[in-house]
Amino acid sequence: MANLDINTTIILVTFFIIYGIFLFFDVFQRNERYRYLAYIVALLPINYMWILEFDIILVYTVLFGLWTLCILRDMILVYRKTKEYDDIFLFFILAVVIQIVVASVLPGILPNLKLLPNIASIWDLFWLPNIYAPGASEDFVLVFRVLLTVLIIFIMGPLLLDIKGEDIPFPVLLVIVAIFIIPFLLLSYIWLAEAVAVLTFLFCVVLFVVLLIITKSGKEMK
């Protein structure tokens, strides 16, 4: 149960306002690239929600929503105009890494977080939401799945568009497929945990076929 009072509510709202400042940083017309910090600043309100003992599935659902807003903004205001995706991808990955570290460190500082419902540990090191916990809200889980799926699609889409039409050797295609194994594993787990391996394999095969179609790999051979 969330531990909210007037003080914690004000702090939480303030964190969301700070996120909003960086999300809409271009409104200030400062011609600076601090907009990308929104990916990292999004971690402030959601981890504070975790400290306040909100449902961990809800916490990560909110995080995926905040990150999705960031990517939507960047696809509209940045990628569509410049076709530059490096900074977007870099700051997103940096935010993911920071959150993974927080998921390990924070429960060590506040052990009571380990006892919250719908939470599971990986190697007793990382504490993450367990959408298959008996008490998990079906509504939260559904939104969690949808937002995470949308987020992964938004991250992968521009990467595939960047290599469309490029001359890429066959071995490099295999490397690209290997890079996507982790998000495919994640997608498979959240939608069909009992078939993670085979579903991930299917996703990899489909991606490989797509790469063969959109790239020039192998087309130089006659």
Side-chain angles (χ1 to χ4, degrees):
M1 188 67 179
N3 299 318
L4 277 177
D5 57 28
I6 185 62
N7 293 302
T8 54
T9 301
I10 291 174
I11 294 174
L12 182 59
V13 170
T14 302
F15 281 151
F16 276 110
I17 292 174
I18 294 172
Y19 164 79
I21 291 172
F22 286 96
L23 180 66
F24 299 106
F25 194 80
D26 289 342
V27 172
F28 302 106
Q29 299 181 347
R30 295 183 58 87
N31 197 29
E32 295 170 318
R33 305 171 73 180
Y34 293 115
R35 70 169 77 90
Y36 299 117
L37 289 177
Y39 292 96
I40 298 173
V41 175
L43 303 180
L44 292 176
I46 68 101
N47 282 300
Y48 189 62
M49 289 175 64
W50 189 12
I51 292 173
L52 295 177
E53 300 185 2
F54 278 83
D55 188 313
I56 189 66
I57 297 176
L58 173 62
V59 168
Y60 275 81
T61 299
V62 173
L63 176 60
F64 298 152
L66 298 182
W67 278 345
T68 299
L69 288 176
C70 290
I71 294 176
L72 272 175
R73 175 205 62 187
D74 291 336
M75 290 179 67
I76 294 172
L77 299 180
V78 180
Y79 183 78
R80 190 179 65 174
K81 297 178 180 178
T82 66
K83 302 302 179 184
E84 293 181 0
Y85 193 68
D86 293 347
D87 287 337
I88 301 172
F89 188 71
L90 174 64
F91 275 88
F92 174 75
I93 294 300
L94 180 59
V96 171
V97 170
I98 292 174
Q99 182 55 33
I100 291 174
V101 173
V102 171
S104 174
V105 173
L106 196 57
I109 299 174
L110 301 172
N112 60 301
L113 298 181
K114 300 178 182 179
L115 305 177
L116 296 178
N118 307 329
I119 194 169
S121 66
I122 300 178
W123 307 309
D124 288 327
L125 183 60
F126 304 104
W127 298 84
L128 299 169
N130 178 13
I131 61 174
Y132 295 105
S137 167
E138 293 183 2
D139 293 335
F140 286 172
V141 170
L142 177 60
V143 179
F144 178 98
R145 286 169 168 160
V146 171
L147 282 178
L148 181 53
T149 302
V150 170
L151 181 63
I152 291 175
I153 291 173
F154 280 177
I155 288 294
M156 291 176 57
L159 292 175
L160 294 177
L161 290 175
D162 278 348
I163 63 175
K164 182 179 180 180
E166 296 292 330
D167 187 4
I168 300 179
F170 185 85
V172 177
L173 290 183
L174 297 178
V175 173
I176 294 174
V177 172
I179 291 173
F180 283 108
I181 286 178
I182 293 179
F184 286 158
L185 279 170
L186 192 54
L187 279 177
S188 301
Y189 173 75
I190 64 173
W191 287 106
L192 200 61
E194 61 270 23
V196 168
V198 293
L199 197 55
T200 300
F201 180 65
L202 173 61
F203 286 152
C204 289
V205 171
V206 171
L207 175 62
F208 184 68
V209 172
V210 170
L211 290 174
L212 287 176
I213 294 172
I214 68 175
T215 66
K216 297 179 181 179
S217 177
K219 293 182 180 179
E220 70 279 6
M221 298 180 62
K222 297 182 180 180

